[in-house]
Amino acid sequence: MASPSVSADPDALTLGQVLRHPTIFIGVAIMAVMIIGALLAPWLGTVDPQSLSPLRRLKPPSAEAWFGGDMVGRDVFSRTLYGGRVSLMVGLSVATISIFLGLIVGLLAGFVGWVDGIVMRVMDGLMAIPSILLAVALIALTGASVGNVILAITVSEVPRVSRLVRSTVLSLKERPFVEAAIVVGTPFHALLTRHILPNTMGPLLVQGSYIFASAVLTEAALSFIGAGTPPEIPSWGNMISEGRLVFQIAPHMVFFPGVALALTVLAVNMIGDGLRDVLDPNYRAR
Amino acid sequence: MLSYALRRLLAIIPVMVVVALVVFSLLYFSPGDPALVLAGETATPEEIARIREALGLDRPYLVRLTEWSLGILHGDFGDSIFFGRSVAELMAQRAMPTLWLSLLAMIFALVLALPLGIIAAWQVGRAPDRLAMGFAVVGYSLPVFVLGYLLIFAFSVWLGWLPVQGYKPPSDGLWPFLSHLILPALTLGVVYAALIARITRSAMLDVLRQDYMRTARAKGLGLWPMLLRHALKNAAIPIMTIVGIGFGSVISGVVVTETVFNIPGIGRLTVDAILRRDYPVIQGVVLVLSGVYVLINLVVDLSYGLFDPRIKY
């Protein structure tokens, strides 16, 4: 279980090495397209995603409207690009915040005995609630907004991260190099930054990409069932939800946001799988 | 075994207490006045007062918590604000379609995932492995509702083989019942299958590297008896574990799948309750489905002994 860690490590991976892994490369390439599409949406031949045009109503894809029009005549191409902003922002925010909070909770639980007992019971309870349901319960009360969606999904992801960090810390504490560091009187902050954190980063990075993917999926599912991003903001889940009513006559309304969503999640999962391969020599040996 | 089972059953209690506390406290600690949110923007002060009273928002936290918990211990989850009927009754009414759907999805997932995982492990690194794992990562990434619409479009709209949406109880005849459930079960089962296939592959790989597998082959055991009787049985525990944990994705998926296919089950009840902000129903559903999830994982834990007689309790 030698995870590449400290910079002095001769096995340390360079970015180039990581990108050469085919799965990661494809994943990063798809993500790059998605990020560019979302960030540069105003300059990529789009119109105002909210502007209505009766001529576009339910029109199939054409040279004027590449992805067709929706049932009130908005441009599906523009909405798909702008919708990516919500998905990517939710994915990134949830992954960052839940890794950060999970790291704190996990470290506390791993190092402080009495915290472990209490906090982990609470985390077990939170983990027993299927994530969409927990998010649904939260949002039904706080009202639909992108911020609340991020909050709700984060609440259900934090327990998983803290579990991972806790178990990594507990197993690291038994390892000779950590025991040795403690014996020679390494101050706690040095122990943490030099030995514990670097060895937690690998698994966390992998977990972070899976969280990103699952947050994007959950946001879309929440928006789809009407408990997510408010309807005035275009998001892939919203678009699919609107499209479902006219699915049989205008399948493009579901198809394009659906493909964008599936590709994004696929790309992030591929990056996660690839990182897991690269970071775990045991896995690669198989 | 019996005492172990009892101890595990007791260990569920603290977990469910936390779940119940979370579900209940959400209502209490959420910012703003839940009654205002629940009533909507056009509500009159009387309506708001009625909702506040129905939810008991005018009374202290501990009193409400005690009453609510006592009620649940008696199977009383409160009354739906929208229907004015008991939540327990509503859930019981909607349970069957959901039960059939998740059961069928589970069967489908296992029938698909086990062979895929076994073949991938046997052919590790070769084309069948890559295909199976490619399926797994795609299956894992396809949103349930996107897959649902793709399937409806292909099999119902385009080919016209299966009904588009709806649900028929088994009492309407076997084919009407099944034909309405095939696509939803497939939709729901794919994510689950992807999870199981990945774990089956890695668990089988661990077993196939053991010395006794070489011995089994050396003594002339056929390929399939070896893979199934020797390898799969020893790989069963991680597979069972993911079947339990992955059931969470089925529960989450049910909510979406029932919306796509218009099935009047628990998931549909949940979505309707959200749209109507019918909070007692949401609380009840979240609590019951979490309980089901925890119980299923308990059953999985207890089943380890069946697969591995070395495990003693």
Side-chain angles (χ1 to χ4, degrees), chain B residues 238-278:
Chain B
I239 300 175
M240 285 304 292
T241 308
I242 198 71
V243 167
I245 293 174
F247 198 75
S249 74
V250 173
I251 295 179
S252 292
V254 154
V255 176
V256 177
T257 311
E258 290 186 354
T259 308
V260 173
F261 289 94
N262 214 357
I263 295 170
I266 299 269
R268 189 69 222 167
L269 180 69
T270 316
V271 175
D272 290 343
I274 299 162
L275 298 177
R276 295 171 187 139
R277 303 199 170 283
D278 196 344

Side-chain angles (χ1 to χ4, degrees), chain B residues 170-282:
Chain B
S171 53
D172 284 16
L174 188 65
W175 177 242
F177 166 67
L178 277 181
S179 67
H180 281 85
L181 271 184
I182 290 176
L183 291 185
L186 218 85
T187 305
L188 190 54
V190 164
V191 181
Y192 200 28
L195 276 174
I196 301 173
R198 281 170 81 138
I199 300 292
T200 305
R201 173 180 177 271
S202 74
M204 287 289 285
L205 277 176
D206 282 342
V207 177
L208 287 174
R209 276 184 301 179
Q210 304 290 326
D211 289 340
Y212 60 77
M213 295 312 300
R214 203 176 318 123
T215 312
R217 278 300 266 174
K219 75 176 187 186
L221 193 69
L223 176 65
W224 285 102
M226 178 198 75
L227 283 179
L228 295 182
R229 226 175 321 135
H230 290 232
L232 186 61
K233 204 173 168 202
N234 281 297
I237 286 183
I239 300 175
M240 285 304 292
T241 308
I242 198 71
V243 167
I245 293 174
F247 198 75
S249 74
V250 173
I251 295 179
S252 292
V254 154
V255 176
V256 177
T257 311
E258 290 186 354
T259 308
V260 173
F261 289 94
N262 214 357
I263 295 170
I266 299 269
R268 189 69 222 167
L269 180 69
T270 316
V271 175
D272 290 343
I274 299 162
L275 298 177
R276 295 171 187 139
R277 303 199 170 283
D278 196 344
Y279 210 76
V281 175
I282 300 177

Side-chain angles (χ1 to χ4, degrees), chain B residues 104 149 159 198 221:
Chain B
L104 226 68
Y149 285 117
L159 294 169
R198 281 170 81 138
L221 193 69

